[in-house]
Amino acid sequence: MKNLPKVYDPKDFEQKIYEMWESEGHFKASVNKDKTPFTIVIPPPNITGQLHMGHALDHTLQDILIRWKRMQGYEALWLPGSDHASIATEVKVVERLRTEEGKTKEDIGRDEFLKRAWKWKEEFGGRITDQMRKLGDSCDWERERFTMDEGCSEAVTEVFINLYNRGLIYKGNRIINWCPDCLTSLSDAEVEHEDKPGKYYYVKYPYVDNEDEFFIIATTRPETIFGDTAIAVHPEDERYNHLVGRQVYVPVINRIIDIIADEYPDRAKGTGALKVTPSHDPNDFEIGLRHHLEQISCMNEDGTMNEVAGKYEGLDRYVCRKAFVKELEEKGYIIKTEDTEHAVGTCYRCRTVIEPRISDQWFVKMPPLAEPAIEAVQKGKTQFVPERFDKIYYHWLDNIRDWCISRQLWWGHRIPAYYCKACHELMVQKNPPEKCSKCSSTEIYQDEDVLDTWFSSALWPFSTLGWPKQTEDLKYFYPTDVLVTGYDIIFFWIVRMMFSGIDQMGEVPFKHVFVHGLVRDAEGRKMSKSLGNGVDPLEVIDQFGADALRFMLITGITPGNDTRFKMDKLESSRNFANKLWNASRFVLMNLDENGLNQENAFKNLKLEDEWIISRMNEVSREITVNLENFELGIAVQKIYEFIWNEYCDWYIEIVKPRLNGEDQQDKDTARFVLIYVMRDMLKLLHPFMPFITEEIWGHLPESGERLISSTWPKFNEEMVFVDSEKKLDLIMSIVRSIRNIKAEMEVAPSKRIKANFLPKNEEIASIIELGRGYFKTLVNVEDMTIINDKTEAGNDCAASVIEGVQIYIPLSDLIDYDKEMERLNKEKEKLESEIKRGEGKLNNQDFVGKAPEKVVASEKEKLLKYKEMYSKLIERIEQLNQL
């Protein structure tokens, strides 16, 4: 029988095993009425991206669930795919065009630009899926989808037209978030708010009827004063309500504006009143609609000032701010400034501060769609894990504004809206019209904008299964079972999938939303390019293997909470893989060609055999429950502890003498149990560490099918050996206690000793008697006595008490008193000499003053270490003197 190589090296087999899985079709899922489906759709990574630690965690969690369910007998589908990522991809292609050809996208035109974008997708789009394979993702690659493939594009068009015809999509001139760098609109979810330092400028607005008096307004954005069309005060604010109806001049510009009453102003903020600039603030925009105010924009799309700003036209908004503030100060309009911190919205892609802007855009009317999505979670149709994240979900939907879905880009799903040049009729339909539906003109052109990337992502759970066609896949695999995601995109994506699935399919898109946290660095900081603290998963896989990375990421995690990437955790994971590898080699090395006879083995089980089988049985039950509750971190800890502690450190050590013994039947039984338990052990570990488990499985006798397609262990009442567990647990406790005594007394584990046991009752006495062989094998107890009274043990004993039994070890067996005292006194003299030397150096002012800081610090550290060693040594001497 061929054994495993001596050294564990994942490079020897990880790629080979993945290719085997894929070529043999182990990832495939198909409609099977005899099996229950289990579906996960992958959060589609951007085609611009490459695997980062967040992906690695996200994909590991999904792969664990899908492999587990596949082994449980479900028709498990993990559907992969990627997102076209409108803004991110367009930025990449534009940059490439500029650097390689010195051209803009306008220079080459839309059609040619889209050819370049598709070429870029073909060139780089497969990079992340290759990386996913290295991690071990067991996706059904034959079903791989792309948000702009033919089927997904058809679904996008279908939904747009459906919502438009129902009055839920409309085109309107409203205020939107605008990125002056990307030159496109953004939805609220694409705006990230950051607290930034700023200033409050207290500005005087002179009254029209008495220019010696003035109204004071505090603003953080004086450059928008050019667009002011009113001052608003709260109707219940006694400081100002008598001023409603009066008029003031906008400083420097001298535009006359009214003082109006509106409930929006916060009376505790600034001066309690606010200047209303409908074209440059979403709240001011709403005030403007309520009071029919003029909308005056003072900025261009690129964030520079326009002609409304007069002499400041063409200046960047922040350059204008500085210059205009200087003019206001010189003319006496600013009475004071205050430092402040305020939330500033930034573009989620380029981090540029967004500019609210009134624009003609397409919107989805949200209230009718939000209500069923809220109700679905309230009724438990979709459950968040952990539950606390439903509050974020509710908060976002309760406060949702109409969703701006148009983007001023070329890469993406072009809006299926057409206009007549002659009569300006708007036609929304699947295919370009041949003529105007109103005037029959053939001069038709399509809307220039594309849809927000999240519009197509929102349809992902059903568009990828064939919708709008009513396919067998759609009927069988929808709704999906689990959506695994980080908490940072709950409002970006989850909310939109929920209302889209309910609206189009009549059912929630997934039954559970399993939320995980971020992967932070060892210090708890978010990984980012700016901090330079990111870790490339591919480099980790190359050095440690995919299994070690997966195991490290999953160890210690809890749903919804962040985890930290630590090298020591990674090394511990690699050590665990090594431990499993070496234990497996040992087991395989001790097999012979006679095969394994289950019937004979089960007739001849010993105490330790029943114990390990019973423990394996119970651990499989517990891990299954943990996985059902999405407690993946607890599940992996249990299998780790079972393999490392119970199987390797206890069972293997206990059965070693049997494997070398003369009793062939007993030897065969031990071999059988080693393999019997290892099979289930590998099955339980497989979802977490798929490569090493599959490689070891392939070396087991009579392994037959691949591990990936084997059956998940089920709890078996017939394999419960409570009595054996109880007995061996006590024997193991006694062994641990004797090991501790030896360690405390600094005695070699191999030293042979005698032991006296004082049991609590006859039952425990019989178990101790049963343990005689174990004590000899594991802690070298060559002679043991069960006593009735502790006086029988004598006075010179090291003692330990555990539940049910007192243990006494004669000191003469543990140490040679005179020899030990001689050794300790020599060590004492040596340490006293080192301490004297160190103190002498550090008390020498010449040394401390002239030596380099590092040298002095090193001496201090050494002195501290020697003093600690000396203190422990004195304790040991005192301990011996008391004997």
Side-chain angles (χ1 to χ4, degrees):
M1 185 177 296
K2 189 181 176 186
N3 203 340
L4 295 164
K6 190 172 182 180
V7 176
Y8 164 63
D9 186 353
K11 286 181 183 175
D12 289 345
F13 57 84
E14 285 193 346
Q15 185 173 343
K16 177 192 74 177
I17 282 178
Y18 194 91
E19 288 170 357
M20 176 196 73
W21 284 331
E22 193 170 357
S23 65
E24 291 179 359
H26 293 288
F27 305 156
K28 289 181 186 176
S30 55
V31 175
N32 185 342
K33 302 292 176 153
D34 295 329
K35 293 170 80 172
T36 305
F38 180 85
T39 316
I40 297 177
V41 291
I42 203 166
N46 292 348
I47 56 167
T48 58
Q50 51 188 340
L51 205 69
H52 56 65
M53 272 306 161
H55 286 127
L57 172 61
D58 192 67
H59 291 202
T60 297
L61 295 170
Q62 292 174 76
D63 197 44
I64 289 167
L65 294 173
I66 213 77
R67 285 177 184 271
W68 164 54
K69 284 295 181 181
R70 188 182 289 128
M71 292 171 78
Q72 278 195 320
Y74 287 80
E75 192 65 23
L77 168 62
W78 187 13
L79 198 150
S82 53
D83 192 285
H84 64 280
S86 284
I87 297 178
T89 305
E90 184 145 327
V91 166
K92 295 273 188 187
V93 179
V94 166
E95 180 62 19
R96 188 184 212 185
L97 194 61
R98 184 185 66 78
T99 55
E100 292 183 7
E101 301 180 45
K103 293 179 180 178
T104 66
K105 66 178 188 177
E106 288 77 16
D107 290 337
I108 63 171
R110 186 173 196 140
D111 289 344
E112 186 59 33
F113 178 80
L114 289 177
K115 286 180 188 175
R116 309 288 176 92
W118 278 105
K119 184 183 173 188
W120 196 94
K121 187 262 178 191
E122 296 308 316
E123 197 174 331
F124 296 105
R127 180 174 54 182
I128 197 162
T129 55
D130 291 340
Q131 294 169 341
M132 288 160 63
R133 285 174 165 89
K134 288 188 183 297
L135 186 64
D137 289 9
S138 60
C139 302
D140 187 345
W141 293 108
E142 291 183 7
R143 294 173 173 271
E144 186 177 357
R145 302 301 301 268
F146 176 53
T147 47
M148 279 178 64
D149 67 27
E150 188 179 345
C152 289
S153 297
E154 184 185 351
V156 166
T157 302
E158 185 84 12
V159 171
F160 186 95
I161 293 169
N162 179 296
L163 293 175
Y164 178 80
N165 289 339
R166 289 157 57 201
L168 295 175
I169 281 182
Y170 64 92
K171 192 172 189 184
N173 206 252
R174 298 186 63 81
I175 198 155
I176 47 97
N177 304 301
W178 182 265
C179 176
D181 186 55
C182 297
L183 295 179
T184 186
S185 58
L186 301 170
S187 69
D188 289 348
E190 292 168 315
V191 176
E192 295 183 351
H193 292 276
E194 302 172 12
D195 284 332
K196 292 194 173 185
K199 288 186 182 294
Y200 264 132
Y201 299 90
Y202 287 79
V203 183
K204 297 193 292 188
Y205 286 67
Y207 289 109
V208 172
D209 57 12
N210 184 354
E211 292 185 40
D212 292 332
E213 294 180 2
F214 41 81
F215 198 109
I216 298 171
I217 290 291
T219 180
T220 58
R221 304 190 65 210
E223 69 277 11
T224 63
I225 284 174
F226 299 104
D228 287 357
T229 54
I231 283 177
V233 299
H234 197 284
E236 295 173 11
D237 192 332
E238 294 179 0
R239 295 171 296 173
Y240 302 129
N241 53 14
H242 65 286
L243 299 172
V244 173
R246 286 185 73 178
Q247 294 180 311
V248 295
Y249 289 112
V250 176
V252 177
I253 298 135
N254 291 326
R255 181 186 305 124
I256 296 174
I257 58 175
D258 292 336
I259 298 173
I260 60 173
D262 193 275
E263 293 189 352
Y264 177 74
D266 182 348
R267 286 172 277 182
K269 192 174 178 182
T271 61
L274 54 85
K275 67 186 200 66
V276 183
T277 318
S279 294
H280 293 281
D281 184 276
N283 298 305
D284 291 8
F285 177 79
E286 297 298 332
I287 294 171
L289 291 181
R290 288 195 289 272
H291 297 272
H292 309 291
L293 299 177
E294 187 181 359
Q295 296 169 349
I296 302 173
S297 173
C298 58
M299 286 185 210
N300 298 311
E301 289 183 350
D302 62 357
T304 59
M305 306 305 291
N306 65 18
E307 70 281 356
V308 172
K311 64 183 180 181
Y312 300 106
E313 182 180 1
L315 288 182
D316 175 80
R317 52 188 166 162
Y318 297 118
V319 175
C320 171
R321 177 186 294 180
K322 192 173 180 181
F324 188 45
V325 164
K326 186 179 179 185
E327 181 180 358
L328 289 169
E329 286 174 334
E330 288 172 352
K331 293 183 175 178
Y333 285 110
I334 291 183
I335 61 168
K336 66 174 180 175
T337 61
E338 286 177 355
D339 291 331
T340 185
E341 282 263 329
H342 61 131
V344 174
T346 60
C347 173
Y348 80 113
R349 279 290 169 202
C350 67
R351 303 295 176 195
T352 301
V353 174
I354 61 104
E355 191 61 52
R357 179 177 181 80
I358 291 178
S359 179
D360 202 22
Q361 302 285 346
W362 289 90
F363 295 86
V364 174
K365 195 178 289 184
M366 286 309 305
L369 297 171
E371 194 174 324
I374 292 170
E375 190 178 279
V377 174
Q378 287 174 337
K379 289 186 173 178
K381 293 177 182 176
T382 294
Q383 296 177 340
F384 280 84
V385 180
E387 194 178 344
R388 70 177 186 272
F389 282 98
D390 60 10
K391 293 181 179 62
I392 296 173
Y393 175 84
Y394 292 139
H395 173 76
W396 189 255
L397 281 169
D398 286 339
N399 297 281
I400 203 160
R401 296 194 308 167
D402 285 357
W403 173 19
C404 176
I405 54 171
S406 45
R407 297 290 179 271
Q408 289 62 56
L409 302 166
W410 286 354
W411 174 247
H413 296 99
R414 196 165 176 181
I415 291 174
Y418 302 87
Y419 304 91
C420 174
K421 284 186 179 178
C423 71
H424 310 298
E425 177 72 358
L426 167 63
M427 292 157 279
V428 172
Q429 56 190 72
K430 188 173 183 178
N431 299 310
E434 293 181 5
K435 61 181 181 178
C436 175
S437 58
K438 186 176 181 182
C439 73
S440 298
S441 169
T442 56
E443 291 192 76
I444 308 292
Y445 65 96
Q446 189 174 354
D447 197 300
E448 291 289 324
D449 291 350
V450 299
L451 286 164
D452 178 7
T453 295
W454 298 103
F455 191 94
S456 52
S457 303
L459 319 182
W460 191 248
F462 53 91
S463 66
T464 52
L465 293 170
W467 190 92
K469 296 182 181 73
Q470 293 303 307
T471 64
E472 290 302 309
D473 279 349
L474 186 65
K475 294 171 189 173
Y476 183 68
F477 289 112
Y478 188 92
T480 69
D481 290 86
V482 186
L483 193 282
V484 180
T485 184
Y487 59 66
D488 51 338
I489 61 167
I490 287 176
F491 41 82
F492 266 110
W493 193 39
I494 306 301
V495 164
R496 286 162 180 169
M497 282 191 291
M498 281 292 286
F499 69 67
S500 298
I502 294 168
D503 186 63
Q504 300 298 323
M505 296 292 298
E507 284 186 274
V508 294
F510 24 75
K511 296 158 195 167
H512 291 94
V513 179
F514 178 26
V515 184
H516 60 79
L518 306 178
V519 181
R520 298 185 177 274
D521 70 8
E523 297 172 33
R525 299 174 302 174
K526 189 173 180 178
M527 289 186 177
S528 67
K529 286 181 182 176
S530 58
L531 287 174
N533 62 344
V535 179
D536 184 352
L538 275 299
E539 289 180 9
V540 173
I541 290 171
D542 186 60
Q543 187 179 352
F544 293 90
D547 285 327
L549 174 61
R550 290 167 63 114
F551 197 84
M552 184 278 295
L553 287 170
I554 198 74
T555 299
I557 70 156
T558 51
N561 294 322
D562 293 342
T563 187
R564 295 189 182 190
F565 180 91
K566 293 182 177 180
M567 284 307 293
D568 59 344
K569 271 177 72 179
L570 190 59
E571 284 162 5
S572 295
S573 299
R574 171 65 185 254
N575 292 342
F576 174 61
N578 259 322
K579 178 99 169 178
L580 174 63
W581 187 266
N582 292 333
S584 302
R585 282 193 81 249
F586 172 82
V587 172
L588 292 167
M589 197 186 303
N590 279 280
L591 297 182
D592 60 19
E593 301 301 323
N594 295 331
L596 301 167
N597 188 315
Q598 177 166 329
E599 189 178 344
N600 286 344
F602 272 104
K603 288 176 184 174
N604 295 282
L605 295 178
K606 286 196 168 180
L607 176 65
E608 63 266 25
D609 302 327
E610 291 185 342
W611 168 77
I612 195 69
I613 290 170
S614 190
R615 287 295 303 130
M616 180 76 264
N617 193 33
E618 174 59 19
V619 166
S620 68
R621 186 193 67 78
E622 291 176 6
I623 288 174
T624 303
V625 170
N626 293 142
L627 290 173
E628 285 168 351
N629 293 327
F630 299 98
E631 297 165 340
L632 278 61
I634 296 174
V636 80
Q637 187 64 30
K638 284 181 180 171
I639 189 60
Y640 168 86
E641 287 173 357
F642 177 82
I643 292 172
W644 190 292
N645 299 328
E646 296 180 86
Y647 187 79
C648 295
D649 287 356
W650 284 105
Y651 185 70
I652 287 180
E653 292 305 312
I654 289 171
V655 299
K656 275 180 180 178
R658 292 168 64 188
L659 296 171
N660 297 319
E662 299 299 322
D663 185 337
Q664 188 61 43
Q665 177 60 62
D666 188 44
K667 195 184 290 189
D668 289 344
T669 300
R671 287 168 176 161
F672 170 80
V673 174
L674 281 165
I675 291 294
Y676 178 84
V677 173
M678 181 176 278
R679 282 202 179 107
D680 277 1
M681 195 169 82
L682 292 173
K683 288 179 181 182
L684 293 178
L685 183 60
H686 177 73
F688 305 95
M689 300 180 89
F691 293 106
I692 188 173
T693 51
E694 187 74 78
E695 179 68 5
I696 295 169
W697 179 269
H699 285 76
L700 299 187
E702 304 167 23
S703 56
E705 63 189 343
R706 304 295 183 195
L707 177 58
I708 190 174
S709 300
S710 64
T711 305
W712 184 256
K714 290 181 180 176
F715 182 75
N716 185 348
E717 290 286 352
E718 293 179 7
M719 294 295 115
V720 177
F721 300 104
V722 176
D723 189 55
S724 296
E725 284 195 55
K726 181 182 174 184
K727 288 173 181 175
L728 202 67
D729 282 346
L730 177 60
I731 290 167
M732 288 160 59
S733 294
I734 292 170
V735 168
R736 274 191 290 265
S737 188
I738 294 173
R739 282 175 176 166
N740 289 339
I741 290 172
K742 283 187 170 184
E744 286 166 11
M745 303 296 287
E746 298 181 15
V747 173
S750 59
K751 186 168 176 61
R752 296 177 186 280
I753 60 168
K754 294 178 184 151
N756 299 299
F757 300 105
L758 177 58
K760 184 178 176 183
N761 52 44
E762 283 298 321
E763 183 188 1
I764 290 173
S766 66
I767 296 172
I768 293 170
E769 187 60 48
L770 193 63
R772 186 179 290 270
Y774 300 101
F775 303 144
K776 185 175 183 178
T777 300
L778 299 171
V779 278
N780 285 293
V781 174
E782 64 177 1
D783 185 21
M784 61 167 265
T785 307
I786 295 175
I787 59 178
N788 296 311
D789 189 279
K790 66 180 179 181
T791 56
E792 295 178 42
N795 293 324
D796 294 338
C797 288
S800 177
V801 180
I802 60 172
E803 190 177 352
V805 62
Q806 296 173 40
I807 305 162
Y808 298 96
I809 311 291
L811 287 173
S812 58
D813 277 12
L814 294 170
I815 55 169
D816 182 326
Y817 180 85
D818 293 334
K819 205 171 180 180
E820 181 67 1
M821 284 300 287
E822 184 183 348
R823 184 187 72 79
L824 291 173
N825 281 318
K826 279 183 183 177
E827 187 66 23
K828 179 170 171 274
E829 286 173 18
K830 185 180 171 185
L831 285 172
E832 284 171 345
S833 172
E834 288 292 348
I835 290 167
K836 185 178 179 182
R837 183 196 64 79
E839 286 179 339
K841 262 193 170 184
L842 292 170
N843 289 332
N844 184 336
Q845 293 306 310
D846 282 348
F847 170 75
V848 175
K850 293 177 183 176
E853 277 185 35
K854 281 186 180 178
V855 174
V856 175
S858 175
E859 284 297 330
K860 286 181 179 177
E861 196 176 321
K862 279 196 276 187
L863 180 61
L864 186 63
K865 182 180 74 174
Y866 290 138
K867 284 184 173 179
E868 285 175 358
M869 289 169 67
Y870 186 78
S871 175
K872 286 178 182 174
L873 191 71
I874 295 300
E875 278 180 31
R876 175 72 173 146
I877 290 170
E878 287 174 356
Q879 187 183 20
L880 283 180
N881 283 331
Q882 289 170 7
L883 296 177

